[in-house]
Amino acid sequence: MRFLMVHRVSESDPAAWNPSPEFIEKMGAIIQDWTERGILITAEGVHPSEKGAKVRKPRGKASTAVDGPFTEAKEVIGGFGLINAKDKAEAVRLAQQYAELFDEVEVEVRQVVEFDEIPQG
């Protein structure tokens, strides 16, 4: 099964957007380990919300786009990882291992819908 891990960080925490060499080393080690073990499919960090945008499409209306920063949000997406795990419990254990790299973080774990799970017709 594939699982998406999305980590959220404080928009106002400078360390979230300028990682230390020690953090980069720890992150590199887990990426290498998980890649070699076939756990990690891909992982990326993202820029702060000031470089992003939100697109909203209300029911029955046209979509709109708003440039960041997203000042109403206390936490924003800091990055994501796509992993292989045998079940949700294993994905959560891996997310906990990943979260230990950070001083403070929230990691959401979501199972990816596989094509053969989509109802036909």
Side-chain angles (χ1 to χ4, degrees), residues 80-107:
F80 68 92
L82 186 61
I83 61 170
N84 290 306
K86 67 180 178 182
D87 55 26
K88 182 176 128 187
E90 181 181 38
V92 169
R93 282 193 301 277
L94 291 165
Q96 288 174 312
Q97 184 181 350
Y98 178 75
E100 288 299 319
L101 299 174
F102 298 82
D103 288 333
E104 183 175 2
V105 73
E106 176 182 277
V107 181

Side-chain angles (χ1 to χ4, degrees), residues 33-94:
D33 177 50
W34 286 9
T35 300
E36 290 172 356
R37 293 171 48 203
I39 293 168
L40 185 64
I41 299 167
T42 189
E44 300 288 341
V46 297
H47 286 282
S49 72
E50 68 187 29
K51 295 185 176 187
K54 283 188 181 181
V55 176
R56 290 195 173 111
K57 166 64 174 80
R59 186 177 302 276
K61 296 184 180 178
S63 63
T64 59
V66 177
D67 287 336
F70 311 135
T71 55
E72 73 279 4
K74 290 182 181 179
E75 293 182 331
V76 295
I77 295 171
F80 68 92
L82 186 61
I83 61 170
N84 290 306
K86 67 180 178 182
D87 55 26
K88 182 176 128 187
E90 181 181 38
V92 169
R93 282 193 301 277
L94 291 165

